[in-house]
């Protein structure tokens, strides 16, 4: 049963591979043409399989879980901006997971808030194409002499834009 389910899910990922990098409207059109049929077939198969399983089995629970969230599962078909899964978000959270237990010992609520601010800066630096260590080194070397009323100039998106403008002028 697991092999059958994985094969059907693999078909969906194969379709996604074919449309990766396409515009949202194109992705939506292909998904409606190809993925919707696979999903309808998968749902029917899950419903037919569920009645053959012991109601208390782990497999039956997994099938009921999928069927109970079916609307959310298939939402990506009608929106070309959505991904088939949330793997990108899961990967982004991996950096946070090792420290979860450590955050219990931030020392205080203020310590936890400061840690959250630093994680946000690091994440935002990455999103703006900056190396977090270089970004923090740059900001810490400037901040003592930087006017407080212009502190926003040191935010990752502003530094990234400034660096991009500098490299354009240099070229």
């Amino acid at each position: 049963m697991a092999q059958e389910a994985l094969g059907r899910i693999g078909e969906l990922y194969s379709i996604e591979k074919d449309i990766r990098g396409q515009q949202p409207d194109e992705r939506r059109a292909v998904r409606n043409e190809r993925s919707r049929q696979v999903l309808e077939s998968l749902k029917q198969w899950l419903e037919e399989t569920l009645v053959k399983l012991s109601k208390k089995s782990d497999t039956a629970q997994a099938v009921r879980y999928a069927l109970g969230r079916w609307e959310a599962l298939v939402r990506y078909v009608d929106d070309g901006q959505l991904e088939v899964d949330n793997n990108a978000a899961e990967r982004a959270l991996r950096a946070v997971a090792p420290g979860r237990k450590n955050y219990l010992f931030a020392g205080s609520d203020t310590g936890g808030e400061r840690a959250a601010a630093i994680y946000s800066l690091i994440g935002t630096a990455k999103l703006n194409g900056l190396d977090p260590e270089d970004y923090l080194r740059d900001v810490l070397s400037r901040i003592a002499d930087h006017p407080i009323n212009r502190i926003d100039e040191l935010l990752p998106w502003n530094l990234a834009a400034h660096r991009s403008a500098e490299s354009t002028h240099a070229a």
Side-chain angles (χ1 to χ4, degrees):
M1 181 179 164
Q3 193 170 19
E4 174 71 19
L6 288 174
R8 290 169 183 255
I9 293 167
E11 289 179 54
L12 296 170
Y13 278 90
S14 178
I15 294 166
E16 290 302 304
K17 182 179 178 185
D18 292 346
I19 60 175
R20 187 169 294 124
Q22 299 295 319
Q23 293 296 315
D25 288 342
E26 175 66 18
R27 289 170 39 137
R28 183 185 47 73
V30 171
R31 287 171 176 171
N32 273 292
E33 181 182 318
R34 296 173 53 198
S35 300
R36 189 170 301 282
Q37 294 171 345
V38 175
L39 286 163
E40 288 171 1
S41 173
L42 175 61
K43 184 179 183 186
Q44 180 180 352
W45 178 77
L46 287 171
E47 289 169 340
E48 290 170 358
T49 302
L50 183 60
V51 298
K52 299 174 187 174
L53 297 170
S54 167
K55 291 183 181 188
K56 293 184 180 184
S57 73
D58 290 343
T59 305
Q61 287 178 332
V63 170
R64 280 193 299 277
Y65 180 87
L67 291 172
R69 286 153 185 79
W70 194 258
E71 187 176 323
L73 175 68
V74 300
R75 185 173 294 131
Y76 83 99
V77 173
D78 293 318
D79 187 340
Q81 294 180 344
L82 297 178
E83 295 296 328
V84 67
D85 57 38
N86 67 345
N87 287 345
E90 294 284 342
R91 281 190 301 276
L93 288 173
R94 279 194 192 133
V96 176
R100 274 190 298 223
K101 289 185 181 178
N102 296 337
Y103 305 144
L104 295 173
F105 304 102
S108 65
D109 287 347
T110 304
E113 290 167 5
R114 288 180 183 153
I118 293 295
Y119 272 103
S120 294
L121 272 176
I122 290 169
T124 305
K126 288 179 182 178
L127 287 172
N128 284 276
L130 301 173
D131 175 89
E133 185 176 348
D134 290 344
Y135 166 72
L136 290 174
R137 185 180 300 111
D138 186 21
V139 168
L140 291 173
S141 70
R142 296 177 183 209
I143 201 161
D145 299 322
H146 198 82
I148 191 69
N149 62 340
R150 292 187 5 233
I151 202 76
D152 60 313
E153 293 172 1
L154 300 179
L155 292 171
W157 53 87
N158 290 330
L159 281 182
H162 180 73
R163 288 180 184 175
S164 176
E166 283 179 349
S167 68
T168 301
H169 292 313

